[in-house]
Each structure stands twice: as C-alpha cells, then as structure tokens.
Amino acid sequence: MSRPANPVTLPLADYSPQHFLLAVVDGVATVTLNRPERKNPLTFESYRELTDFFRACAFDDAVKTVVITGAGGNFSSGGDVFEIIGPLVKMDTKGLTAFTRMTGDLVKAMRACPQPIVAAVDGICAGAGAIIAMASDMRLAASGAKVAFLFNKVGLGGCDMGACAILPRIIGQSRASELLYTGRFMTAEEGERWGFFSRIVTPEQVLPQAQLLAKQVADGPTFGNTMTKRMLAMEWAMSVEEAIEAEAVAQALCMTTADFERAFEAFANKVKPVFRGD
C-alpha cells in the first residue's frame, strides 16, 4: 500500500494521472475510471490518486466542477477482488485500519472538494463504486444502471466509507437500511424514485448530460456554488436556528463578491450575467 510516485501537479489540465483518465474542458474536469475489462475496479493506488486529485481541486481555480464516470459501459465494480480483497485477508488489525481509513479519505476529499461533483452512472456501480456515486453532489443514471452497496455480501458491515451517514440522508433511513443490510442492487428506476438519481437518460447520453449539467453549474457564481456545497454539508449537524444564522453569514459573504454586482448590472440591463468567479 505504498503511495504512487505520481504527485498531483497544477494546473490540473496538464496533469496526467496513472490510474484514471482526466480531461479539463471549459472549467469541467472529467474523471474516467479506466479499467473497462474488469468493470473499472479500484486498487490501493487508484484510491490514493483519486483522493490526491480531489484534494488538489481546491487549489485550481480553473476547475469549476467535476464529472466522474467509468469507461466501457460500467461505472465501477468497487474494490478489486484480487488486488485489494485478497491482500486484506492477510493483514493484521493495524494494517486493516490503515486501509479503511485510507478509503474513507477519498470520501472526505470529495466532500471537502469545493467544486460540485456530478456522477454519470452507467452499468454496474457497486461497493466502493457505489460509495463514490453516493459521495458526489449530483447523480445521473443511464437506463439499466444498477447500484449496490455490496459490503454485506462479502461478510462485512454496511458501515463503510460513510455509507451509514450519507446514504440515509439521500434516500431515507428505511431504504438505506434495506440496501445496506441486503447488499441487493437498486435499479435506476428505484434510484430516481428514491432521490438517489436526479434523472435517467440513455447510456449514450449519460456522460454528455452529466457534463452539460456540470457546465451549467460551472457557468454560475463559483464562490456562491462553493458556499452552497459547504452549507449543505455543515447544516447536517445544525439546528434550524443555527442553520439560518450560518446562512445569513454565508450569504453576506457572497454579497461581497464581484459576481453579485455583475448579476445586478446584468439584470438592470436585461442581459444574462457572465460570472467570473470573483
């Protein structure tokens, strides 16, 4: 579980990952899990490189939003059975705890990443792949996509990488409990009905539609979008009164930005505002 010798460098548009594909176009960074012959499983190295990437996003102002998807018609089958699960059964408690904390760091990095993240989910989205989709801010599904939190199926608890904290907030306690206790697949239709997916599109359109959504967000006020993501996370642990006060402070900060003034001037002149992120 040594760290990959491939430090993330800025700008991200010039960075060449070893364990996934990356393209930055018009402020949208598209991350593609790229082991299609195995349904894009994760390895020790890809966990770390993804974590490092999402942490680096905070330092690249040119990236406004992130799309994450998988190559070859599947999102991700989760942790690689032979490259991860095999070695895990031979580890001691210290090594296993280091591993589970390392995987959890990916979710922490995604939630701390200031840019909104859109998951374009096609085909199989299972285990840690389902967690990555869950940790994204928005999710679009291809018809036929299937999502499963498979930890129960391999003799583990459903309490992995924040699933017990985040999933109930997306789809509700009872539905989340069913998926985590049984490990069964949730269909795209169930996922849309339950609120896990924003909408279902054709497999050919899931990535373009996710990128279009990401571009729409990227064209908005960057500071305001970042503040929205922060507040959505922070207010989980607040009372309504605390949340209203926190939002008052957050919105006052947004009102100090040049983008706020640009929006007023555009409205006064009856034109569409062009936001610049300051």
Side-chain angles (χ1 to χ4, degrees):
M1 297 203 316
S2 59
R3 293 191 64 82
N6 189 38
V8 179
T9 55
L10 300 177
L12 291 171
D14 296 334
Y15 172 59
S16 297
Q18 290 182 351
H19 305 288
F20 55 89
L21 302 180
L22 175 64
V24 180
V25 179
D26 294 335
V28 179
T30 299
V31 171
T32 304
L33 305 176
N34 190 38
R35 297 179 70 196
E37 72 284 354
R38 303 273 295 278
K39 297 184 174 66
N40 307 314
L42 299 173
T43 64
F44 294 122
E45 292 77 19
S46 59
Y47 270 118
R48 289 200 178 90
E49 193 169 38
L50 285 165
T51 300
D52 290 345
F53 164 78
F54 281 110
R55 286 173 175 164
C57 284
F59 303 101
D60 193 338
D61 291 339
V63 173
K64 308 296 184 183
T65 52
V66 178
V67 172
I68 186 162
T69 191
N74 290 289
F75 189 77
S76 173
S77 56
D80 190 289
V81 172
F82 298 103
E83 295 186 40
I84 286 187
I85 298 179
L88 289 180
V89 299
K90 302 175 183 177
M91 289 185 189
D92 60 13
T93 301
K94 181 178 179 181
L96 291 169
T97 304
F99 168 74
T100 53
R101 285 177 174 156
M102 182 267 289
T103 62
D105 282 344
L106 173 54
V107 174
K108 291 179 184 178
M110 292 178 69
R111 301 313 309 145
C113 168
Q115 292 90 342
I117 303 167
V118 183
V121 179
D122 192 5
I124 296 299
C125 177
I131 295 287
I132 290 174
M134 176 197 76
S136 300
D137 298 285
M138 295 161 276
R139 290 158 294 276
L140 272 60
S143 54
K146 298 190 296 183
V147 180
F149 298 83
L150 291 175
F151 312 108
N152 172 277
K153 295 291 189 182
V154 295
L156 300 176
C159 48
D160 199 46
M161 300 173 70
C164 288
I166 300 174
L167 189 60
R169 290 179 167 94
I170 299 173
I171 65 173
Q173 187 80 11
S174 179
R175 290 164 173 165
S177 297
E178 179 184 338
L179 295 183
L180 295 176
Y181 280 124
T182 66
R184 77 165 179 86
F185 278 97
M186 172 178 63
T187 66
E189 291 74 21
E190 284 178 315
E192 183 188 36
R193 190 169 69 247
W194 292 357
F196 189 83
F197 292 119
S198 299
R199 59 182 179 271
I200 302 172
V201 299
T202 65
E204 295 77 16
Q205 282 296 307
V206 67
L207 179 56
Q209 287 295 312
Q211 291 172 323
L212 177 61
L213 175 58
K215 184 64 168 62
Q216 291 172 338
V217 176
D219 287 343
T222 303
F223 186 86
N225 289 340
T226 296
M227 194 63 74
T228 298
K229 181 165 180 173
R230 293 271 187 255
M231 288 296 101
L232 282 168
M234 291 173 60
E235 291 180 36
W236 282 1
M238 293 181 184
S239 67
V240 173
E241 290 78 9
E242 291 169 331
I244 291 171
E245 175 60 21
E247 290 190 3
V249 175
Q251 197 70 302
L253 288 173
C254 291
M255 290 174 182
T256 67
T257 63
D259 273 346
F260 177 61
E261 186 174 349
R262 289 186 188 103
F264 170 73
E265 292 173 352
F267 179 82
N269 292 309
K270 298 182 180 180
V271 298
K272 183 178 179 180
V274 177
F275 297 114
R276 299 178 185 172
D278 59 348

